[in-house]
């Protein structure tokens, strides 16, 4: 069963924008999407942005000022608005979710490619 589902990835030119979404599916387990990570080929997975239920946010220095994370608690969904995209943003982006017992829930990932 897929607990977290990402969408919105794709191919864009440098300077373009994408909006990613992560929705939690209902399966009797309350998984709350909390943030986004990414992993580029040959590189370590890194935190991109996170957000609490109360709206507190944190961003990686590399994306600060360009990306904005937000959430819709009624839909149990988080979003990542990505502007001014650079080739170095190319990666698979993963949604991370928490329950009261674990913070190690992940989506399947969505590919973001920034290239001319």
């Amino acid at each position: 069963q897929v607990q977290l589902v990402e969408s919105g990835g794709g191919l864009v030119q440098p300077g373009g924008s994408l909006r990613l979404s992560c929705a939690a599916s209902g399966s009797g387990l309350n998984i709350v999407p909390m943030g986004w990570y990414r992993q580029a080929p040959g590189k370590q997975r890194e935190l991109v942005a996170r957000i609490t239920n109360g709206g507190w946010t944190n961003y990686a220095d590399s994306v600060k000022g360009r990306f904005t994370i937000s959430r819709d608690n009624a839909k149990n969904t988080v979003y990542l608005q990505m502007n001014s995209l650079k080739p170095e943003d190319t990666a698979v982006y993963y949604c991370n979710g928490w329950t009261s017992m674990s913070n190690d829930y992940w989506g399947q990932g969505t590919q973001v490619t920034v290239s001319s």
Side-chain angles (χ1 to χ4, degrees):
Q1 301 180 54
V2 177
Q3 301 289 334
L4 295 167
V5 180
E6 304 100 331
S7 63
L11 173 64
V12 296
Q13 294 189 349
S17 297
L18 286 173
R19 181 176 171 87
L20 306 183
S21 298
C22 174
S25 61
S27 61
L29 184 63
N30 281 347
I31 303 174
V32 180
M34 293 291 289
W36 293 91
Y37 290 69
R38 68 186 181 187
Q39 188 166 23
K43 293 186 177 294
Q44 186 177 339
R45 184 177 296 190
E46 64 175 352
L47 173 70
V48 178
R50 57 190 173 196
I51 185 169
T52 68
N53 288 347
W56 178 89
T57 59
N58 188 46
Y59 297 90
D61 288 340
S62 59
V63 308
K64 194 171 298 182
R66 299 187 297 119
F67 292 8
T68 303
I69 190 169
S70 60
R71 72 185 311 123
D72 185 335
N73 288 329
K75 297 180 178 179
N76 201 23
T77 301
V78 296
Y79 306 93
L80 186 67
Q81 179 67 46
M82 305 187 295
N83 298 325
S84 302
L85 283 162
K86 305 174 180 179
E88 49 263 46
D89 295 317
T90 296
V92 177
Y93 285 69
Y94 296 94
C95 181
N96 171 248
W98 289 27
T99 67
S100 61
M101 301 296 292
S102 173
N103 60 2
D104 198 29
Y105 290 90
W106 300 92
Q108 80 286 351
T110 186
Q111 177 71 48
V112 172
T113 302
V114 185
S115 176
S116 58

